[in-house]
Amino acid sequence: MKFAGLLKQSLTDYPGKIAAVLFSRGCNLRCPFCHNAHLLVRPGRNDAAAGEIEDLELLAFLQERRGFLDAVVFSGGEPTINPELPEVIRRVKDAGYLVKLDTNGHNPLMLTKLLADNLLDYVAMDIKAPLDYKKYLEASGRLSPKDFFNVRAAINLLQTTAIEVEFRTTVIPLWHSPEDIAAIARYIEGARLYCLQQFNPRTTFDSGLSSVKPYSKEELMEMARLCRPYVDSVRIRNV
Ligand code: SF4
């Protein structure tokens, strides 16, 4: 499997751990606020892209960094659109690393298999909007009814697993009122962690968002307060 890029060390992508971050190419969604637009489309078979890394190079890198890194984060794009992902993760786990997966939840079948095989230590799943098809479609840019079914199945699955799980929403005034954020928290009632991420209007997939003013820190704090009755912990990021 080829990855579009490798961040050799991050202190923020896996809470409490020093992690390398792998970015995969391709995504089934087209979230207008996506900051990784260059990763959304997979290159053609013969297209070489700068910074790409293959799984063998990755494993050599991880051997070299043993003792300095705790974990590997698989991010994207959407990593689970790649059927080879479970095998790569297995090899990373065999090398002794913790594994975190960042996902939009569109592939609960792969998620089920990864969990059953004990290949994941942490999953961060995006929840783009309240679990209403029209709202979710607006915030995702592109969403088939099957994708929407899968998102809900992935939430149900992650609500029952023992590994570390966070649900997270990038909060955008165009699509999220405080009531919408509270509705998401209600949907994931009992979750251990819900993160509200500040929206950054720069470098978005839809350049029309550049004029949208993000919520203030105080407004996000008020949304966090509305969520607290439903989830164990709420965090605000990137403010
Ligand atoms: S799920 Fe949305 S934000 Fe994440 S990579 Fe795909 S388009 Fe970008």
Side-chain angles (χ1 to χ4, degrees):
M1 178 173 170
K2 264 189 190 166
F3 293 91
L6 167 70
L7 177 61
K8 291 185 174 173
Q9 184 172 308
S10 165
L11 300 177
T12 55
D13 285 84
Y14 192 134
K17 305 290 178 197
I18 304 173
V21 185
L22 280 162
F23 299 93
S24 59
R25 269 188 205 284
C27 184
N28 55 316
L29 305 186
R30 290 291 181 271
C31 308
F33 57 88
C34 182
H35 293 299
N36 289 331
H38 60 294
L39 296 179
L40 296 187
V41 180
R42 293 171 121 180
R45 192 177 286 263
N46 299 317
D47 293 346
E52 277 194 344
I53 178 165
E54 301 221 23
D55 43 1
L56 286 178
E57 287 171 75
L58 167 69
L59 291 165
F61 166 78
L62 292 177
Q63 290 290 355
E64 196 186 291
R65 293 297 166 104
R66 204 186 278 273
F68 296 100
L69 287 173
D70 305 310
V72 177
V73 176
F74 288 83
S75 192
E78 171 52 41
T80 67
I81 67 169
N82 297 282
E84 312 93 330
L85 182 73
E87 187 48 36
V88 180
I89 292 183
R90 183 182 300 283
R91 294 167 83 177
V92 170
K93 287 291 286 176
D94 287 347
Y97 287 91
L98 295 167
V99 168
K100 172 173 176 268
L101 174 68
D102 292 345
T103 181
N104 64 26
H106 99 287
N107 194 344
L109 274 182
M110 185 184 285
L111 211 45
T112 301
K113 182 167 166 32
L114 290 168
L115 290 169
D117 292 347
N118 294 316
L119 293 178
L120 299 175
D121 301 283
Y122 195 124
V123 176
M125 179 178 160
D126 295 341
I127 301 185
K128 309 290 183 187
L131 279 296
D132 163 274
Y133 182 75
K134 193 165 165 284
K135 289 189 173 191
Y136 217 94
L137 171 61
E138 278 172 4
S140 305
R142 184 165 91 177
L143 182 79
S144 68
K146 185 169 175 236
D147 285 335
F148 187 52
F149 175 86
N150 284 342
V151 164
R152 287 174 294 168
I155 292 172
N156 291 344
L157 175 66
L158 292 174
Q159 288 283 58
T160 59
T161 179
I163 67 161
E164 286 191 89
V165 171
E166 75 174 54
F167 295 105
R168 58 194 191 182
T169 300
T170 301
V171 186
I172 303 164
L174 273 183
W175 296 299
H176 305 118
S177 67
E179 294 70 31
D180 288 330
I181 295 300
I184 296 172
R186 223 172 13 252
Y187 191 92
I188 57 168
E189 185 160 12
R192 278 160 282 167
L193 177 59
Y194 182 37
C195 296
L196 304 181
Q197 303 186 138
Q198 178 61 296
F199 156 64
N200 178 351
R202 280 172 296 166
T203 66
T204 50
F205 176 61
D206 178 351
S207 56
L209 291 187
S210 60
S211 57
V212 175
K213 186 169 174 276
Y215 281 118
S216 67
K217 183 177 179 184
E218 290 67 32
E219 287 169 319
L220 289 176
M221 285 168 65
E222 175 56 19
M223 291 182 203
R225 190 187 65 75
L226 295 175
C227 295
R228 287 210 170 89
Y230 306 108
V231 294
D232 292 353
S233 177
V234 186
R235 277 186 215 150
I236 297 173
R237 285 198 183 129
N238 308 335
V239 286

